Amino acid sequence: MTSQPGTGLSGTGGPGGEPPCLAVIDMQRVFGEPGSPWLAPRFGEIVKPVRDLVTAFQPDVVFTRFIAPATPAGAWQRYYEAWPFALQPPDARIYELVDELAAGAGPTLDAVTFSKWGPDLAARVRAAGQDGRGNELVLAGVSTDCCVLSTAVAAADAGVAVRVVAEACAGVDDDSHRKALDILRLYAPLVEVVSLDAVLGG
């Protein structure tokens, strides 16, 4: 890997060496607060790595949020029958970013799906690349085995080079986290699982 001039980041960047875009996936209270049915147990441990990445990647950073639909449709009806507590409006406290990351996060990219890849995130990736040919997407957040994995695979299918920062992601448990990373490695070279030091150049 080569360090990109002027960014302090390590990696390939976009087709012309442009800085990559960082997507911070769903660092919300519902996944981080004790007592939440959706708690990712190691959420607290990844807050600092995520903050370090945000500092390094600014301004090419987008925060995402998983929110519930107003009216679940299709198989999502069964999903919310299993998790009725989650049927709350987008401005509910459970869907807020955690305090450590909320300040300065700006508008969030909200989605009612596990994957956060779509036209909005694609536009951010292209904007970071500046040439419209696509760019690299770096992922951090929760959960490794659900929304991070879903976003990585969808972006890779769209032809985007994806790097998932292992120490800046957390799963529903350690085993699921490891298995998700192993699955993501199977998508190489479209998806690469990397260390925090590899990305920050430490």
Side-chain angles (χ1 to χ4, degrees), residues 62 109-111 113 115-127 154 158:
V62 57
L109 190 164
D110 298 341
T113 53
S115 172
K116 303 307 180 295
W117 182 257
D120 291 336
L121 186 53
R124 291 295 299 268
V125 170
R126 287 194 297 271

Side-chain angles (χ1 to χ4, degrees), residues 4-200:
Q4 298 170 31
T7 66
L9 301 175
S10 177
T12 58
E18 305 88 354
C21 177
L22 171 69
V24 179
I25 306 297
D26 305 353
M27 292 293 286
Q28 299 164 257
R29 297 184 188 278
V30 70
F31 304 115
E33 292 190 340
S36 171
W38 286 352
L39 173 68
R42 294 195 183 273
F43 186 103
E45 297 175 23
I46 70 168
V47 170
K48 184 182 184 304
V50 169
R51 290 179 67 177
D52 290 345
L53 288 168
V54 170
T55 298
F57 277 83
Q58 289 288 6
D60 297 315
V61 179
V62 57
F63 283 82
T64 76
R65 294 193 310 157
F66 178 83
I67 58 173
T71 304
W76 286 105
Q77 292 176 310
R78 296 196 301 275
Y79 182 83
Y80 284 102
E81 286 171 1
W83 303 108
F85 87 97
L87 279 175
Q88 300 189 40
D91 60 354
R93 177 178 170 82
I94 65 169
Y95 291 130
E96 294 175 353
L97 296 179
V98 293
D99 291 340
E100 297 93 330
L101 298 168
T108 55
L109 190 164
D110 298 341
V112 298
T113 53
F114 296 141
S115 172
K116 303 307 180 295
W117 182 257
D120 291 336
L121 186 53
R124 291 295 299 268
V125 170
R126 287 194 297 271
Q130 298 179 353
D131 64 359
R133 292 194 296 162
N135 191 31
E136 182 180 84
L137 177 64
V138 177
L139 296 178
V142 294
S143 66
T144 322
D145 40 313
C146 185
C147 294
V148 173
L149 186 151
S150 298
T151 303
V153 172
D157 275 347
V160 173
V162 179
R163 286 194 290 166
V164 178
V165 186
E167 302 99 320
C169 295
V172 296
D173 55 46
D174 289 349
D175 189 46
S176 294
H177 170 73
R178 286 190 296 268
K179 287 178 178 176
L181 293 179
D182 287 342
I183 290 170
L184 286 165
R185 290 185 180 100
L186 297 176
Y187 287 87
L190 292 163
V191 178
E192 184 181 6
V193 177
V194 297
S195 69
L196 185 67
D197 283 347
V199 175
L200 297 182

